[in-house]
Amino acid sequence: MKKDKKITLIVLAALLVAVGSLCYWQRNNLEALRLFLQLDQEDISTRIEDNVQKVTNASQKVAGVTVRDLTDEEKAALRDQSLSREELIAQITTPAETVPDSSSQIPPDASAPGVAPAVSPQPDPDREALSRLIAEVYLMKEEYNVWLENMNQAAIDEYVALPEEKQTPEAKYSIGMRYMNLALDEEKVCDARMASLESSIRELLKKLGEDTSLADEIHAAYLEEKALKKAYYLNLH
């Protein structure tokens, strides 16, 4: 029911108004409110997809980094825990193997005189570590999305479980404030985890002699996706 689902709006609106007006460091919440007022649901979804692609494009500019975002199937596996985090990281950091066309390529006879056996290039441990760190960013993003969806549904369920005579604006506000505090706590955890990942990524890039702009792209994408997600839930109902 539309009335019931408006609890999501209560939760996030409370977050934006009560917290967003307090201080400079909460400007991300004000940005979310701006996006909510300017964009419709389809535009927000498109911006979220474009934002993910920014990180992918930036990662591809670093030689030896092989990482991609999770597929829908892998996201489902993360949700139902049919694959562990380590298994998922291994999957999204493993480059797709190119199978040669047997009709056009004939492998050389390694035993023939003058033919040296093929030697596979050795992977760079630091670049592998960088790929894994970026994979952690993708996983953390999806884990937070799952958390938001669960909290959204929990808030709705709690409100609609009330007797009809208790489904009042005061009850919505009370539930909304409680879930707002949970959202604030979880956002702080995510911010700390992301700051640590960004720092490690930046250090590895410096060690490899690479441009550190990838870390800047990841930071900007994280902030934008946070604002877009808040606007998404505001616009959802």
Side-chain angles (χ1 to χ4, degrees):
M1 292 182 292
K2 185 174 181 181
K3 178 186 72 174
D4 302 330
K5 291 184 178 179
K6 284 186 177 179
I7 188 62
T8 301
L9 182 60
I10 298 295
V11 172
L12 289 169
L15 175 63
L16 295 175
V17 175
V19 181
S21 61
L22 291 180
C23 51
Y24 172 75
W25 63 270
Q26 282 294 346
R27 64 191 181 280
N28 185 258
N29 293 310
L30 299 177
E31 173 65 8
L33 183 58
R34 183 188 69 80
L35 292 169
F36 164 65
L37 295 173
Q38 293 183 354
L39 304 176
D40 60 23
Q41 190 75 349
E42 184 177 352
D43 290 335
I44 292 172
S45 297
T46 299
R47 287 276 295 271
I48 290 174
E49 292 175 5
D50 291 344
N51 199 51
V52 173
Q53 192 60 41
K54 290 178 183 177
V55 175
T56 300
N57 292 343
S59 300
Q60 291 173 347
K61 295 177 182 178
V62 182
V65 171
T66 55
V67 63
R68 58 172 174 79
D69 195 7
L70 297 159
T71 64
D72 290 341
E73 292 77 12
E74 289 163 341
K75 290 176 182 179
L78 179 65
R79 289 165 186 264
D80 63 24
Q81 299 183 334
S82 57
L83 289 176
S84 68
R85 295 183 91 260
E86 283 301 313
E87 288 172 323
L88 287 168
I89 289 174
Q91 284 189 188
I92 67 176
T93 56
T94 300
E97 294 182 1
T98 303
V99 180
D101 184 353
S102 59
S103 63
S104 60
Q105 295 188 14
I106 301 176
D109 183 357
S111 64
V115 177
V119 178
S120 300
Q122 294 299 310
D124 184 330
D126 286 333
R127 294 184 187 276
E128 286 187 332
L130 183 57
S131 295
R132 288 179 60 83
L133 286 171
I134 299 169
E136 286 280 357
V137 171
Y138 285 130
L139 258 69
M140 194 189 83
K141 177 197 70 173
E142 189 57 28
E143 287 167 342
Y144 186 57
N145 287 341
V146 173
W147 188 91
L148 283 175
E149 291 171 11
N150 289 340
M151 289 300 100
N152 172 44
Q153 191 58 51
I156 293 171
D157 292 344
E158 183 172 340
Y159 179 74
V160 299
L162 294 172
E164 186 173 355
E165 65 274 12
K166 292 187 177 181
Q167 293 181 12
T168 62
E170 291 78 13
K172 287 183 180 180
Y173 178 78
S174 177
I175 293 171
M177 289 300 293
R178 188 149 35 82
Y179 281 91
M180 179 199 75
N181 289 330
L182 290 174
L184 281 172
D185 291 341
E186 187 66 15
E187 184 176 1
K188 289 176 183 177
V189 171
C190 287
D191 286 348
R193 289 176 63 190
M194 181 58 69
S196 177
L197 285 171
E198 289 172 6
S199 176
S200 297
I201 289 170
R202 194 177 300 278
E203 288 303 312
L204 263 180
L205 288 168
K206 290 178 180 178
K207 182 179 179 181
L208 291 165
E210 298 281 356
D211 188 345
T212 60
S213 60
L214 171 59
D216 298 330
E217 289 275 3
I218 290 173
H219 180 72
Y222 174 68
L223 293 179
E224 184 172 1
E225 180 143 355
K226 281 206 306 181
L228 286 165
K229 274 296 181 181
K230 292 169 187 174
Y232 173 86
Y233 279 102
L234 283 170
N235 220 319
L236 190 59
H237 306 297

